[in-house]
Amino acid sequence: MGNFLMIIIMAVFVNNFILVQFLGICPFLGVSKQTGNALGMGLAVTLVMTMTCLITYPIYQFILVPLGLQYLEIIVFIFVIASLVQMIEKFIKKFSPSLYNAMGVYLPLITTNCAVLGVAELVIDKAQMLSLLGIESMNIGVAVGYGFFAGVGFTLAIVLMSGLRQKIDKLDVAPALKGFPITMIAASFMAMAFYIFNMISIG
Amino acid sequence: MKGNKFKGIAVDGLLRNNPTLRLVLGTCPTLALSTTAMNGIGMGLAVTFILICSNTLISLLRKVIPNAVRIPSFVLIIATFVTVVRMVMEKFIPDLYDSLGVYLPLIVVNCVILGRAEAFASKNPVLDSAADGLFTGLGFTWALTLLGVIREVLGSGSIFGVELWSFRIEFFTSAAGAFFTYGVMIALFNALFAKIDNVKKRKEFYAAYPDAIQPEKLETKTEEVK
């Protein structure tokens, strides 16, 4: 239970995927103009990140490590992610057209999203997980839990950003600051706010 | 003519279409690895090397790869080069390998590389593509290094690991400082290019209409009359 709480707080707030680890900045900047779109993107990323951890972690631990093929991880992971995204897209399109309308359009974009490959690479790295979560013993449960809550953290950041941007877009800012620069500076203030979560300590 | 073309590619990659400051691509490593100048230059050169290799190979294979599977093929080619670079770095520069961490394998999904493969290498001859890879990579490198220098000098009081003074604003080493510095840099670069474009347009206008009254010259004329 302690571990579970730890994963939630560390993954969602303290080491937020976007604002602390800088993973998934492209959708954060590109799809954060409207709250609806941001939420769809966030949900799609969360789904794919959870599924990716569920598949890549066992592949790495039970196939690549015993065979001594760790150096192939990048190629294997990128292919798993690409095919997984395609499968999820087909599956959702078939079984839930309304869900497909809400987040299906974002799915193809996710293949080349560094948040997804990033989470796959992070959960197999024990030293990284220790510094990110404070958990020493890794297993598939922790890996999938981390994937899910890191996705929740991503969704939180992108939805908050979309709210900010709707306000910012109405402001009269200097022409040079329009677009990316003012968004970056707004993100900087959000990152400052998230820094406060560092003061949480557990156990 | 040939020289002109390469000059155009160079100006595009280094300045006009600088991937970091103008197109705002590859933002994740830019924000994460500009904490020190050394990290910036290391990441930049790794990306440059992979960009030259992938652009060359993709350009060589551009007539062989079927259109429908071109993106997976590009990703596979890039992933192969990233794996090679990763193995070489782990063996020969372990310090840099450790500080690049998870962002080294993430070069695979760096949009600068896939973007150049799709927009340039898949349509242009080999030599041009290699030059495009070189200059886009160097454009990425100098922007990342400059960001790294600014953040290292202000945040850690050192430059390339050499200590300058004990004055530190730790904000610049934090995540918030990364977003802030990058945002301000893009804004400055935007302002610079707006200025250049303005001057250019003005020159073109007066070249087309030599009789038009130029405000600057008008002032000197009134002074002469006085």
Side-chain angles (χ1 to χ4, degrees):
Chain A
M1 195 60 213
N3 265 2
F4 189 66
L5 194 68
M6 191 92 153
I7 295 176
I8 296 180
I9 291 176
M10 294 303 257
V12 178
F13 299 110
V14 180
N15 288 312
N16 186 282
F17 238 54
I18 294 177
L19 295 169
V20 179
Q21 297 192 63
F22 311 115
L23 293 169
I25 302 284
C26 297
F28 177 64
L29 295 173
V31 201
S32 62
K33 280 196 175 130
Q34 269 149 10
T35 308
N37 295 351
L39 192 63
M41 186 70 186
L43 291 177
V45 167
T46 308
L47 178 68
V48 175
M49 275 167 74
T50 316
M51 298 287 288
T52 302
C53 286
L54 187 66
I55 295 171
T56 56
Y57 187 77
I59 287 183
Y60 185 76
Q61 293 296 347
F62 303 122
I63 299 177
L64 295 184
V65 172
L67 294 176
L69 292 173
Q70 286 99 324
Y71 65 90
L72 280 180
E73 64 181 63
I74 302 174
I75 298 173
V76 171
F77 286 180
I78 197 81
F79 265 76
V80 168
I81 294 167
S83 22
L84 187 70
V85 169
Q86 292 258 308
M87 262 168 54
I88 293 177
E89 196 186 351
K90 291 255 154 67
F91 189 80
I92 293 179
K93 202 174 189 174
K94 181 91 183 164
F95 289 100
S96 172
S98 62
L99 191 64
Y100 182 78
N101 286 337
M103 64 185 229
V105 283
Y106 307 106
L107 279 171
L109 299 173
I110 288 174
T111 313
T112 55
N113 182 343
C114 40
V116 180
L117 187 61
V119 82
E121 290 281 341
L122 281 175
V123 291
I124 59 163
D125 190 335
K126 277 209 172 111
Q128 286 274 10
M129 290 312 280
L130 184 63
S131 72
L132 290 176
L133 293 179
I135 293 172
E136 271 177 60
S137 60
M138 272 302 292
N139 56 43
I140 177 124
V142 177
V144 175
Y146 181 66
F148 177 73
F149 285 108
V152 172
F154 178 94
T155 312
L156 179 71
I158 198 170
V159 169
L160 288 176
M161 189 68 209
S162 68
L164 269 179
R165 273 187 89 168
Q166 280 166 9
K167 295 274 177 203
I168 291 170
D169 285 349
K170 288 184 190 136
L171 297 177
D172 184 24
V173 293
L177 278 170
K178 267 206 181 102
F180 285 123
I182 194 77
T183 313
M184 289 278 185
I185 291 166
S188 157
F189 290 111
M190 274 176 70
M192 262 186 246
F194 268 71
Y195 186 72
I196 292 166
F197 290 116
N198 270 329
M199 291 164 194
I200 296 175
S201 63
I202 305 164
Chain B
M1 192 60 208
K2 197 85 183 159
N4 259 343
K5 195 165 68 176
F6 284 116
K7 201 177 150 199
I9 292 174
V11 171
D12 256 6
L14 293 174
L15 296 168
R16 187 152 286 280
N17 283 329
N18 186 293
T20 312
L21 296 169
R22 295 291 288 168
L23 306 178
V24 197
L25 290 175
T27 37
C28 302
T30 309
L31 289 165
L33 294 170
S34 57
T35 39
T36 66
M38 209 54 219
N39 278 355
I41 214 167
M43 184 69 189
L45 291 180
V47 168
T48 308
F49 176 76
I50 293 164
L51 203 48
I52 297 171
C53 294
S54 68
N55 259 10
T56 310
L57 192 60
I58 288 166
S59 175
L60 279 172
L61 296 174
R62 69 184 188 280
K63 282 169 190 148
V64 185
I65 299 174
N67 208 30
V69 292
R70 69 181 192 287
I71 301 284
S73 323
F74 296 167
V75 171
L76 180 62
I77 289 168
I78 297 166
T80 312
F81 285 120
V82 173
T83 308
V84 170
V85 166
R86 194 185 190 195
M87 288 163 96
V88 170
M89 259 196 185
E90 191 173 10
K91 178 82 185 157
F92 294 105
I93 12 178
D95 290 347
L96 190 63
Y97 175 81
D98 285 339
S99 59
L100 297 189
V102 72
Y103 297 97
L104 190 57
L106 287 182
I107 296 176
V108 177
V109 286
N110 188 322
C111 13
V112 177
I113 299 179
L114 197 61
R116 289 330 283 175
E118 171 77 3
F120 199 94
S122 61
K123 292 171 196 140
N124 287 287
V126 179
L127 218 53
D128 294 11
S129 299
D132 180 73
L134 174 68
F135 288 116
T136 309
L138 289 180
F140 185 71
T141 308
W142 82 253
L144 223 64
T145 312
L146 180 61
L147 257 174
V149 167
I150 294 172
R151 285 183 65 197
E152 196 182 349
V153 167
L154 292 173
S156 322
S158 59
I159 185 164
F160 287 103
V162 181
E163 189 147 344
L164 294 175
W165 48 63
S166 56
F167 173 75
R168 277 179 190 123
I169 312 170
E170 278 186 14
F171 167 73
F172 285 98
T173 55
S174 71
F179 281 112
F180 184 80
T181 320
Y182 190 24
V184 171
M185 280 241 320
I186 304 171
L188 288 176
F189 222 69
N190 277 351
L192 185 73
F193 266 90
K195 192 108 195 161
I196 292 172
D197 282 347
N198 224 344
V199 170
K200 228 183 211 167
K201 262 185 206 155
R202 221 186 196 161
K203 263 190 190 155
E204 274 166 17
F205 178 79
Y206 289 128
Y209 303 100
D211 295 339
I213 299 164
Q214 302 188 25
E216 301 97 67
K217 288 191 181 166
L218 204 65
E219 276 165 35
T220 53
K221 259 183 198 165
T222 45
E223 270 166 31
E224 275 165 23
V225 172
K226 273 176 198 170

